[in-house]
Amino acid sequence: MRYSMLIALLLVFAICETSTVPELPLWPLTFTQNFSETTTVFSYHMDGTFYYDATVNKSLMYREDGQYDRYCAYISAEGWKNTPCSQLVSDGIRWIIFPKQEYCCMCCKASDGCGLVKRDWLQVATFLGIVNFKYSNGKQAYKWQKNGIQVNYYYETIAENPLDRVMLEIDMVPNDLQRFHLPRKHSVPDGIFDLPSYCDVKKACTGTCPLV
């Protein structure tokens, strides 16, 4: 009888342990991470790098080719193709920058919802469980769901401390998927957030930006 009760208690503890929801995701203060991106609408693939520093409220999303990005694509009326494009968030303004063309325009402001993505932007996410992450040779990952303008599925490595986890993928259903590569650096290059001299707040972006 005692043996049976002990087995039952152990099973209860095991179920509770496996059903425990981990702490919600939290980005580090500063990091750099490369990514590959696929736009499912156009079936187009591009590579880039994400630079983030919450200590100075700045970030830079650099794409080697921005022609299918939702913001960059509709600004290049001159027909710029296969050319780098960056989204720089600095001092509460989101800039769209084409470095090769030395072209820059103001997309939107923090008051429009275009400020720095918060480190805890997933604090209202729903935990969907531990899954086999398809790009990591069968290794497991935490999967989260965060609803916004569209449904976002967020994957990260498994660790008890959120700061020890590393972002693996953001699947923005149905049209965009960003897969982030390891390792992640806990630093950003000097001067990466410097605003080019040809940027002018009076020059507003066309295309998608005015719709924000």
Side-chain angles (χ1 to χ4, degrees):
M1 181 68 177
R2 290 182 180 179
Y3 181 76
S4 298
M5 291 180 63
L6 178 60
I7 294 296
L9 285 172
L10 289 174
L11 287 172
V12 169
F13 289 145
I15 293 171
C16 291
E17 180 67 22
T18 55
S19 62
T20 299
V21 176
E23 289 187 48
L24 290 160
L26 180 67
W27 281 356
L29 282 168
T30 305
F31 68 93
T32 297
Q33 197 165 2
N34 295 326
F35 65 87
S36 297
E37 184 172 16
T38 301
T39 57
T40 53
V41 173
F42 301 103
S43 298
Y44 188 82
H45 177 85
M46 69 195 90
D47 296 314
T49 305
F50 183 45
Y51 306 91
Y52 183 89
D53 192 343
T55 66
V56 293
N57 290 317
K58 298 179 188 292
S59 70
L60 179 73
M61 182 72 75
Y62 169 82
R63 291 178 171 88
E64 292 181 355
D65 182 0
Q67 65 176 308
Y68 291 110
D69 172 64
R70 68 180 69 184
Y71 297 108
C72 299
Y74 302 102
I75 293 173
S76 56
E78 292 83 354
W80 297 332
K81 303 296 182 183
N82 303 311
T83 188
C85 179
S86 296
Q87 292 185 39
L88 170 65
V89 177
S90 178
D91 297 326
I93 296 176
R94 185 176 295 268
W95 302 88
I96 305 299
I97 303 170
F98 292 86
K100 285 187 176 180
Q101 287 75 16
E102 293 191 354
Y103 181 92
C104 175
C105 59
M106 187 191 75
C107 182
C108 46
K109 298 181 179 180
S111 57
D112 304 314
C114 287
L116 184 75
V117 177
K118 294 183 178 180
R119 298 173 60 213
D120 62 352
W121 68 280
L122 287 153
Q123 288 301 292
V124 292
T126 300
F127 181 60
L128 299 182
I130 297 174
V131 299
N132 290 324
F133 187 62
K134 56 187 175 181
Y135 297 113
S136 61
N137 296 321
K139 292 183 180 179
Q140 294 185 317
Y142 287 151
K143 181 179 181 180
W144 304 82
Q145 179 177 333
K146 171 69 164 59
N147 296 335
I149 298 176
Q150 57 205 95
V151 177
N152 300 286
Y153 294 111
Y154 180 89
Y155 298 82
E156 62 179 354
T157 58
I158 294 176
E160 182 177 355
N161 186 341
L163 293 177
D164 291 333
R165 304 174 201 157
V166 182
M167 176 167 55
L168 294 173
E169 181 179 289
I170 302 177
D171 187 359
M172 294 166 273
V173 179
N175 61 329
D176 192 88
L177 185 147
Q178 284 183 308
R179 180 165 55 91
F180 291 85
H181 305 306
L182 302 176
R184 174 186 65 191
K185 297 179 181 178
H186 286 277
S187 62
V188 295
D190 291 340
I192 193 66
F193 302 124
D194 290 350
L195 186 67
S197 59
Y198 49 84
C199 292
D200 188 339
V201 72
K202 296 178 182 178
K203 187 170 187 176
C205 296
T206 58
T208 309
C209 288
L211 303 178
V212 175

